[in-house]
Amino acid sequence: MPTAEQLIIDGERVGASDAGTFDVYDPSSGDVLAEVAKATKADVDRAVQSARTALESKAWGGAPPAERGRIMIRIAQAIRDRAEELATLESHDNGKPLRQARTDVQVAARYFEFFAGIADKIMGHTIPLGPGFLDYTVREPIGVCAQIIPWNYPIQIGARGVAPALAAGCTVVLKPAEDAPMTALRLGEIALGCGLPPGVLNVLPGMGPEAGAALASHPGINQLTFTGSVEVGIAVAKMAAENIVPVVMELGGKSPNIVFADADLETTVQGVANAIFQNAGQTCSAGSRLLVERKAHDDLVSRLNDRAKSMRVGPGVSDPDMGPIISKKQLETVERYVKIGRDEGARVTAGGARPSEASLGRGFYFQPTLLDEVAPDMRVAQEEIFGPVLAIIAFDELDEAIEIANRSQYGLVAGVWTRDINKAMTVASRIKTGQVYVNTYGAGGGVELPFGGYKKSGYGREKGLDALASYTQIKNVCVRFA
Ligand code: NAI
Ligand code: MG
């Protein structure tokens, strides 16, 4: 066993204060991928202190905004220079197919590039008060940002939070998920190599209830960005509330793809299948409900069946169509939900079990699965499964489709597939989700597009220029002159 991957605190690679470590597994084989230092509360204290010092330093807080942008451009380039290494590591750590990991790495680079360009364009405005007054606003960095990220898209979600925070002049303490912390550490290492001053980005892998809770409840942070489960989201929001720390919450969903009979079914099948099977369904914005107009149901489901059954499942680095589930625990959750679906009366038309190939026996694999004849109130239509399981619901009328789509505690994304502009626009205007896609689902990472939830999918927006609102605070200056 090589020496443990170290934490990044104040620009240094260090072990945990108590020298503790944990094992990280490759879900494709179940083998140990790495031993990683496990951050303690004392490490979190040090990292937050270091982020505070960096915030107030000449090298970062006092640097011209254009200099922040230049460092971020270098980070984007360095990510691209190391793309293949990063993608391979992500594929081992998370299990995702290599080409999806390659996309994730390019998207991570795009976040730095996109937000680098705004670093010196974060402007305020002037407010007319009449003669004898000048009133203006300044958008100042909010301060030390805590970011707690999940295991499903570590480098993408890491970059998605870190890049706008740095552009705004903030500093960050990033806690990756215990299930897949590797590429977040590489990101921190790359940033240091590109001249990001010590303490501006600290990376602390560790357990949620220890390092995560210590960070979320820390009185020294000014802002918290969390991506993960609703349950933990509620817990960390309460911790942050004790210190009046604002939170951005990205908590997943049960996003519908609504397909009308007039849609181009060939492109629709691709979009619908990709929306649920990408990353083995472990995507906050997964299109996990298919609402299909009854007239097109049999045709669409038959095409989806063909597709699901022809998909190659295997180790991420062999670049299959679908890789494993992140962990044994998550695999068992997916299995449990398929059983719940069957018991509720849904019909499994594809998949529904672990693959039978002996060569996949040690990894955490599950087949691409279609659950047909799902009713809108079944648990498999209401609860986030976070696996490659599509719940299929038939509808007859547009109003009915919208009502079913909105009958959810979640509201992250929706897709609508039709050639009829009136149907598309009616759905777009009446759906209760933070993003709507028409005749597509996703937009190559969607770096430029504001992303976030309605209802229990969360609040606040990441991605796009709207993300900056979370990392800046507005100061109003009112000047009276004679
Ligand atoms: P989780 O919500 O437990 O983990 C997300 C992050 O929160 C990780 O970094 C974890 O270490 C941290 N965390 C856990 N407990 C914490 C605590 N008490 N205080 C502070 N931080 C804490 O998610 P988990 O257990 O990995 O997955 C469970 C379910 O959550 C999934 O089945 C899925 O439904 C949902 N999920 C949604 C994600 C999304 O992208 N919105 C991502 C990951 C999970
Ligand atoms: Mg958990």
Side-chain angles (χ1 to χ4, degrees):
M1 177 66 63
T3 52
E5 279 283 340
Q6 310 273 278
L7 316 172
I8 302 178
I9 302 178
D10 202 30
E12 307 277 345
R13 299 304 299 262
V14 293
S17 65
D18 65 357
T21 65
F22 64 104
D23 287 338
V24 172
Y25 297 89
D26 180 337
S28 296
S29 62
D31 293 341
V32 173
L33 175 67
E35 185 188 354
V36 177
K38 184 168 66 170
T40 63
K41 186 173 179 305
D43 295 319
V44 171
D45 286 342
R46 275 192 61 213
V48 171
Q49 183 53 54
S50 150
R52 172 69 50 198
T53 304
L55 183 75
E56 289 160 6
S57 70
K58 265 184 89 157
W60 186 250
E67 177 57 16
R68 299 201 299 266
R70 276 192 290 269
I71 296 172
M72 291 175 67
I73 285 286
R74 290 203 291 273
I75 296 174
Q77 188 55 50
I79 292 171
R80 290 206 174 98
D81 291 345
R82 289 174 66 175
E84 204 52 24
E85 172 209 335
L86 292 168
T88 305
L89 184 62
E90 192 79 312
S91 183
H92 275 297
D93 200 6
N94 163 280
K96 65 180 68 197
L98 204 48
R99 63 184 179 282
Q100 289 175 23
R102 287 184 180 125
T103 300
D104 288 4
V105 170
Q106 294 303 326
V107 171
R110 269 292 292 149
Y111 277 116
F112 282 94
E113 193 176 67
F114 178 84
F115 286 107
I118 196 76
D120 57 355
K121 301 168 195 72
I122 301 176
M123 300 181 207
H125 43 245
T126 57
I127 298 166
L129 283 183
F133 284 99
L134 174 63
D135 192 288
Y136 64 94
T137 63
V138 187
R139 292 173 71 187
E140 299 185 340
I142 198 160
V144 173
C145 302
Q147 307 200 341
I148 299 177
I149 64 169
W151 42 262
N152 53 346
Y153 291 82
I155 197 162
Q156 252 205 63
I157 295 180
R160 167 176 106 184
V162 170
L166 297 190
C170 298
T171 57
V172 177
V173 179
L174 172 64
K175 198 209 78 70
E178 46 272 56
D179 284 311
M182 300 301 288
T183 54
L185 284 166
R186 290 291 174 276
L187 186 63
E189 188 183 281
I190 285 172
L192 281 173
C194 291
L196 195 71
V200 177
L201 174 58
N202 304 275
V203 187
L204 275 72
M207 300 299 118
E210 297 162 22
L215 184 57
S217 60
H218 204 289
I221 64 169
N222 302 112
Q223 190 272 347
L224 172 66
T225 293
F226 175 83
T227 305
S229 60
V230 173
E231 183 194 0
V232 176
I234 291 169
V236 297
K238 284 181 181 166
M239 296 178 206
E242 292 290 334
N243 296 311
I244 320 291
V245 164
V247 183
V248 175
M249 284 273 148
E250 203 270 85
L251 305 176
K254 195 76 188 178
S255 296
N257 265 305
I258 305 173
V259 180
F260 291 94
D262 67 35
D264 171 0
L265 288 192
E266 202 41 55
T267 55
T268 303
V269 169
Q270 285 173 33
V272 168
N274 192 49
I276 183 63
F277 298 135
Q278 177 182 312
N279 210 31
Q282 305 165 114
T283 304
C284 41
S285 55
S288 53
R289 286 187 295 161
L290 169 62
L291 277 50
V292 55
E293 190 172 355
R294 203 173 307 275
K295 281 183 282 189
H297 171 274
D298 293 358
D299 189 359
L300 186 64
V301 172
S302 141
R303 292 176 196 234
L304 281 168
N305 269 327
D306 291 347
R307 193 171 177 100
K309 288 173 182 167
S310 70
M311 285 174 69
R312 193 172 71 82
V313 176
V317 289
S318 75
D319 204 22
D321 298 312
M322 203 176 84
I325 304 294
I326 187 72
S327 62
K328 184 161 176 288
K329 181 168 167 253
Q330 189 69 24
L331 172 61
E332 287 166 358
T333 301
V334 174
E335 274 183 317
R336 193 166 62 245
Y337 269 111
V338 171
K339 181 175 183 311
I340 289 169
R342 282 198 166 102
D343 292 347
E344 287 178 309
R347 196 161 69 84
V348 177
T349 67
R354 303 184 189 199
S356 52
E357 291 98 307
S359 63
L360 301 180
R362 288 165 55 243
F364 311 129
Y365 298 92
F366 201 77
Q367 295 171 330
T369 298
L370 300 176
L371 293 183
D372 198 7
E373 295 170 24
V374 169
D377 291 326
M378 287 181 183
R379 286 183 63 190
V380 289
Q382 289 294 329
E383 297 173 21
E384 185 175 51
I385 298 174
F386 230 59
V389 181
L390 179 64
I392 303 172
I393 302 168
F395 70 86
D396 293 296
E397 304 290 338
L398 180 142
D399 284 347
E400 182 193 2
I402 294 171
E403 188 278 320
I404 295 170
N406 285 336
R407 206 192 302 173
S408 171
Q409 63 175 329
Y410 294 111
L412 193 54
V413 177
V416 51
W417 303 80
T418 176
R419 287 187 170 97
D420 183 338
I421 188 77
N422 295 312
K423 284 180 182 156
M425 297 313 298
T426 302
V427 172
S429 68
R430 286 171 50 196
I431 201 91
K432 300 278 188 276
T433 62
Q435 274 191 337
V436 185
Y437 286 104
V438 179
N439 292 327
T440 182
Y441 197 90
V447 171
E448 307 82 354
L449 317 177
F451 176 70
Y454 279 30
K455 302 191 255 182
K456 281 194 181 161
S457 289
Y459 50 81
R461 290 296 175 267
E462 303 196 74
K463 306 185 174 184
L465 294 184
D466 292 287
L468 289 171
S470 304
Y471 300 106
T472 53
Q473 53 193 347
I474 294 175
K475 177 182 282 174
N476 183 80
V477 181
C478 184
V479 184
R480 184 172 175 190
F481 57 95

